[in-house]
Amino acid sequence: MEAAAAMEAGRKLAARHPHGRSRTAHNMSSSSLRKKSDAALVRKVPVAPLRPVLANLQEVFLGTKLAVLFPAVPLAIAAQCFRFDQVWVFALSLLGLIPLAERVSFLTEQIALYTGPTVGGLLNATCGNATELIIAMFALVKGKIEVVKCSLLGSVLSNLLLVLGTSLFCGGVVNLGADQPYDRKQSDVSTGLLFLGVLCQSAPLLLRYAVAAGEHSVATAAASLDLSRACSFVMLASYVAYLFFQLKTHRQLFEPQEVDGGEGDAGDEEEPALGFASALFWLVLMTVVISVLSEYVVGTIEPTSQSWGLSVSFISIILLPIVGNAAEHAGAIIFALKNKLDITLGVALGSATQISMFVVPLSVLVAWIMGIQMDLDFKLLETGSLFIAVLVTAFTLQDGTSHYLKGVLLLLCYIVIGACFYVARQPADQDVS
């Protein structure tokens, strides 16, 4: 059977790369939502050649606690094909993206078990937020610049305030009688990069207001585009430096301590559950399905906005990021409940850093290649919200210990920012083709 072959290959890899089995906080968080597959039913299948295939399907589709949401995927496709109400297509597509995002994380980890920690870390650096990246690319193709900006901004805000706030609050309540320490070094690196990202995103906004005030005389649109593209290169360069720092020179800062016991902990999934070729095949297939559902989401967001009476910016900033990373976010909260805040911080801050310093500048450069004029000017309310979120998070994490009140403060900040975008009725679409 393929599972046996995969385990044997894993043992050989472990012997060859004794330090290649370390797992990132992102993978450990996602693993908290996985469950071990019961092979008893598969062994009872009378046709022997079918057993490996069924075991593979069982591992991929039933090896997660979110398997109950998989029916939303074919239902979303059917709703689109049979031209159901666009709101149903939007809602079903969002629900279908939740288990798909978790499975992409699982398959990325399976491939990383064969490639070693460096390549595995690079896979995490590119696939960790695959859902947001794919949605952004489809929105770019359709010229929905505001949807791209708002969804990426919302993902950063969600990670910094909602996910981290909920985790610190729940962890603090459950562990009232225990200290909740964490390593400040990792959070200092991430918040430093996030401040650089805020600076790069603020520069075009400041330039626009400086020109409007008559302090400088330049062609605002052209100068903003040039400045945004230059800042995007700076952001990508800093992200490459961050990856080198994380995967090579200071890897020990980003390797969470092994979690003792319990389902979904680090020691439970030492051996690969899938073969390399099988994991790669399913990863490609899941990415294609995510692309289909992402196209549905982008195409139906405006009818849904009108039907629900919500602005496109509110849906993009609040709803899309919550759903896109629901599995990862749930895992971060679970580890906070176990008093493993290093893993929680690795997930929340790592994901926010990846979106801010990789996906955002990549979107600007891809838009440039496509001939679309997308800049880093996220407007005053959006940029101000991002700056406040990064600042509050940095101050919250400065002492190396946590309690539930810190989580309450982060959550209240998220509620206030969400209320701002709820009442703001700016034009729903300012497309640039």
Side-chain angles (χ1 to χ4, degrees):
M1 291 178 64
E2 183 184 343
M7 292 180 66
E8 180 61 27
R11 282 191 287 268
K12 291 179 180 179
L13 283 168
R16 207 178 303 157
H17 304 287
H19 300 290
R21 309 307 297 253
S22 61
R23 303 172 67 194
T24 65
H26 178 276
N27 283 335
M28 293 180 70
S29 172
S30 297
S31 69
S32 64
L33 293 175
R34 296 171 196 157
K35 61 182 181 181
K36 293 183 178 180
S37 301
D38 185 5
L41 293 177
V42 174
R43 286 194 294 265
K44 294 179 181 179
V45 175
V47 183
L50 283 179
R51 293 172 190 165
V53 177
L54 294 176
N56 187 284
L57 292 173
Q58 182 184 42
E59 190 65 47
V60 172
F61 290 102
L62 299 180
T64 172
K65 298 174 183 177
L66 300 173
V68 67
L69 295 178
F70 268 120
V73 176
L75 288 176
I77 297 174
Q80 176 70 13
C81 293
F82 292 103
R83 301 187 180 279
F84 283 22
D85 191 287
Q86 297 294 283
V87 175
W88 281 103
V89 177
F90 180 82
L92 290 171
S93 298
L94 282 184
L95 287 177
L97 286 172
I98 296 176
L100 289 172
E102 191 278 333
R103 291 288 84 185
V104 166
S105 174
F106 163 72
L107 294 167
T108 301
E109 180 180 354
Q110 292 296 301
I111 294 175
L113 290 174
Y114 294 93
T115 59
T118 301
V119 177
L122 290 174
L123 283 173
N124 257 331
T126 53
C127 298
N129 287 283
T131 304
E132 291 92 336
L133 180 59
I134 293 173
I135 290 177
M137 293 301 107
F138 274 102
L140 272 180
V141 170
K142 294 181 179 292
K144 299 181 184 296
I145 305 302
E146 294 306 312
V147 173
V148 177
K149 291 181 177 180
C150 289
S151 64
L152 297 181
L153 171 71
S155 183
V156 178
L157 295 177
S158 173
N159 277 286
L160 294 181
L161 299 179
L162 178 62
V163 179
L164 191 56
T166 305
S167 299
L168 296 184
F169 172 73
C170 294
V173 170
V174 172
N175 299 279
L176 277 176
D179 292 333
Q180 289 193 283
Y182 52 84
D183 190 353
R184 274 192 54 195
K185 296 176 183 177
Q186 180 183 166
S187 62
D188 288 345
V189 172
S190 296
T191 52
L193 284 167
L194 288 170
F195 273 118
L196 175 59
V198 172
L199 172 61
C200 291
Q201 293 177 39
S202 300
L205 175 68
L206 296 175
L207 176 65
R208 176 158 61 86
Y209 276 94
V211 171
E215 298 176 5
H216 299 278
S217 178
V218 295
T220 309
S224 179
L225 272 176
D226 292 340
L227 179 59
S228 297
R229 290 162 181 171
C231 288
S232 295
F233 281 113
V234 172
M235 295 166 76
L236 286 177
S238 67
Y239 188 69
V240 171
Y242 167 69
L243 290 181
F244 186 77
F245 181 87
Q246 179 184 19
L247 301 176
K248 284 294 185 182
T249 61
H250 290 72
R251 182 186 299 171
Q252 70 279 2
L253 298 182
F254 298 87
E255 292 181 354
Q257 296 179 353
E258 297 295 331
V259 184
D260 298 328
E263 183 181 353
D265 289 348
D268 288 347
E269 296 180 293
E270 285 287 331
E271 304 297 341
L274 300 173
F276 178 81
S278 176
L280 185 60
F281 166 78
W282 284 113
L283 179 61
V284 172
L285 182 61
M286 294 285 184
T287 303
V288 170
V289 178
I290 287 177
S291 300
V292 173
L293 296 187
S294 298
E295 185 176 11
Y296 293 168
V297 168
V298 172
T300 58
I301 189 171
E302 291 171 11
T304 302
S305 169
Q306 297 171 2
S307 176
W308 290 353
L310 300 173
S311 65
V312 171
S313 61
F314 179 82
I315 293 177
S316 301
I317 290 176
I318 303 299
L319 189 57
L320 291 186
I322 293 176
V323 174
N325 269 335
E328 181 181 307
H329 295 173
I333 296 171
I334 289 173
F335 276 104
L337 295 174
K338 297 179 180 180
N339 206 9
K340 302 294 180 181
L341 289 187
D342 283 335
I343 301 175
T344 297
L345 292 177
V347 172
L349 296 180
S351 184
T353 303
Q354 189 177 114
I355 291 292
S356 181
M357 306 306 291
F358 175 66
V359 181
V360 169
L362 181 65
S363 299
V364 172
L365 298 181
V366 170
W368 186 14
I369 295 172
M370 295 168 59
I372 298 174
Q373 296 182 348
M374 175 180 173
D375 57 21
L376 289 175
D377 187 351
F378 279 47
K379 297 192 176 69
L380 184 59
L381 178 60
E382 288 81 351
T383 304
S385 299
L386 178 62
F387 174 72
I388 292 172
V390 175
L391 188 65
V392 170
T393 302
F395 274 104
T396 299
L397 300 177
Q398 65 179 339
D399 63 350
T401 58
S402 177
H403 46 73
Y404 71 89
L405 184 58
K406 290 185 175 182
V408 171
L409 294 176
L410 293 178
L411 285 173
L412 292 178
C413 287
Y414 188 74
I415 292 173
V416 171
I417 291 175
C420 289
F421 290 106
Y422 178 78
V423 301
R425 298 292 177 181
Q426 63 185 33
D429 207 5
Q430 297 180 8
D431 297 348
V432 180
S433 56

